[in-house]
């Protein structure tokens, strides 16, 4: 049975979480709200699964299949107009293939058709709210002011609805707000890196650790990424998230626990020990 409760979120949470009928809390949303709910759950010793915000890094190495990477990542980045917690966000590309990847990725993004998602041929719809468009516009303007270069998009689209053009920014400096704050919209941020250590340092720089992406043909690099990237999920050389049978969750400020796979059921179980002496 599912019960839907409507009203002021804070009032509902502050009533339901302490209530003795509630034994387990699962939340998907922002890190700020998630921390508040997790703290409230902790006060009442309730189990909690938190799937919170992210800022997914993408690592493209100089031995990657650039055509596959550009095509797959363009689709993943702009799915649901970028309003996806695991959307690729910070694209870190090794210097030797940086210009080539920027060109290929921009070409793939330019193939997207924005409009009413119920119409044939449309591949990207609107943003959820008007203020979401305002936020993305502010992120783009800030990045350009900081020195980023626009390769495509960058503006609202005319007409009714909350539409913003699929946007690619290259040479984005770390000082740009979007490099540290989750943009949650149709904006891809691209910047080069020199070597593996620099890429890992940037991938792990933020307190988030939900999802990460990587492309490399070098097996040593692939094995090292699984050890070094601080994220709850990492997909290499394909897009492999969100399958029902696989774990789905983050680490650090992106939360704890998983909403997928057989591991997800563990948070809903209680381990008990019973011992009986036969006499």
């Amino acid at each position: 049975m599912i019960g839907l409760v409507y009203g002021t979120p804070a009032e509902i949470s502050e009533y339901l979480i302490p209530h003795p009928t509630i034994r387990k809390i699962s939340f998907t949303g922002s890190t700020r709200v998630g921390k508040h709910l997790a703290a409230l759950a902790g006060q009442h010793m309730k189990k909690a699964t938190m799937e919170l915000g992210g800022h997914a890094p993408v690592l493209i190495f100089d031995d990657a299949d650039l055509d596959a990477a550009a095509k797959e990542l363009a689709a993943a980045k702009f799915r649901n107009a970028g309003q996806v917690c695991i959307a690729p966000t910070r694209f870190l590309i090794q210097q030797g293939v940086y210009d080539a990847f920027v060109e290929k990725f921009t070409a793939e993004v330019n193939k997207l058709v924005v409009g009413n998602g119920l119409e044939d041929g449309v591949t990207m719809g609107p943003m959820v709210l008007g203020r979401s468009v305002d936020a993305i516009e502010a992120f783009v303007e800030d990045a350009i002011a900081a020195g980023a270069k626009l390769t495509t998009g960058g503006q609202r689209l005319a007409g009714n609805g909350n539409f913003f053009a699929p946007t690619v920014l290259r040479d984005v400096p770390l000082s740009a707000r979007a490099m540290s704050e989750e943009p949650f919209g149709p904006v891809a941020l691209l910047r080069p890196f020199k070597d593996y250590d620099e890429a890992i340092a940037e991938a792990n720089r933020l307190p988030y650790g939900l999802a990460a992406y990587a492309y490399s043909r070098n097996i040593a690099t692939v094995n090292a990424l699984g050890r070094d990237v601080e994220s709850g999920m990492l997909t290499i050389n394909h897009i492999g998230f969100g399958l029902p049978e696989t774990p789905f969750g983050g680490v650090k400020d992106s939360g704890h626990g998983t909403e997928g796979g057989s591991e997800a059921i563990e948070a809903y179980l209680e381990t008990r020990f019973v011992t009986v002496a036969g006499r």
Side-chain angles (χ1 to χ4, degrees), residues 1-247:
M1 182 180 71
I2 297 176
L4 303 179
V5 181
Y6 297 92
T8 303
E11 294 178 358
I12 293 171
S13 299
E14 290 172 6
Y15 174 80
L16 286 180
I17 290 178
H19 197 282
T21 302
I22 303 300
R23 305 284 295 278
K24 166 70 170 64
I25 295 94
S26 180
F27 174 74
T28 298
S30 71
T31 296
R32 179 180 61 83
V33 175
K35 286 184 174 182
H36 174 71
L37 297 182
L40 186 58
Q43 291 176 17
H44 300 276
M45 300 304 293
K46 304 288 181 72
K47 293 183 177 183
T49 298
M50 294 285 146
E51 195 270 280
L52 309 178
H55 204 296
V58 181
L59 289 75
I60 308 291
F61 292 90
D62 55 12
D63 56 3
D65 182 337
L66 299 186
D67 291 327
K71 182 176 181 179
E72 292 167 4
L73 289 168
K77 167 69 249 185
F78 296 99
R79 177 167 65 96
N80 201 37
Q83 300 165 115
V84 180
C85 59
I86 59 172
T89 303
R90 287 172 293 146
F91 288 68
L92 313 175
I93 304 106
Q94 200 156 16
Q95 286 180 340
V97 295
Y98 181 67
D99 289 332
F101 179 80
V102 171
E103 181 178 351
K104 291 176 182 293
F105 183 73
T106 301
E108 290 294 335
V109 174
N110 283 334
K111 296 177 184 178
L112 297 172
V113 178
V114 181
N116 184 336
L118 299 178
E119 296 178 359
D120 291 340
V122 171
T123 52
M124 194 187 94
M127 301 195 69
V128 174
L129 301 168
R131 67 172 181 266
S132 299
V133 178
D134 295 339
I136 292 300
E137 186 174 52
F139 275 126
V140 171
E141 291 175 352
D142 172 78
I144 292 174
K149 300 179 179 63
L150 186 69
T151 71
T152 190
Q155 71 282 327
R156 299 167 181 259
L157 297 181
N160 296 326
N162 303 318
F163 292 99
F164 197 91
T167 298
V168 179
L169 293 167
R170 63 171 290 167
D171 308 339
V172 184
L174 295 182
S175 59
R177 284 178 49 224
M179 288 297 290
S180 296
E181 302 174 30
E182 184 180 18
F184 209 68
V187 177
L189 312 167
L190 280 58
R191 61 177 283 115
F193 69 85
K194 294 179 182 178
D195 55 30
Y196 180 86
D197 289 341
E198 181 182 346
I200 293 299
E202 171 54 25
N204 295 338
R205 176 177 59 88
L206 298 181
Y208 303 107
L210 183 58
Y213 302 76
Y215 282 78
S216 172
R217 291 188 174 101
N218 186 311
I219 189 62
T221 299
V222 168
N223 289 336
L225 287 168
R227 176 195 65 214
D228 295 335
V229 175
E230 297 172 355
S231 67
M233 300 177 286
L234 170 64
T235 185
I236 303 174
N237 293 331
H238 75 136
I239 307 299
F241 295 145
L243 303 175
E245 65 271 22
T246 61

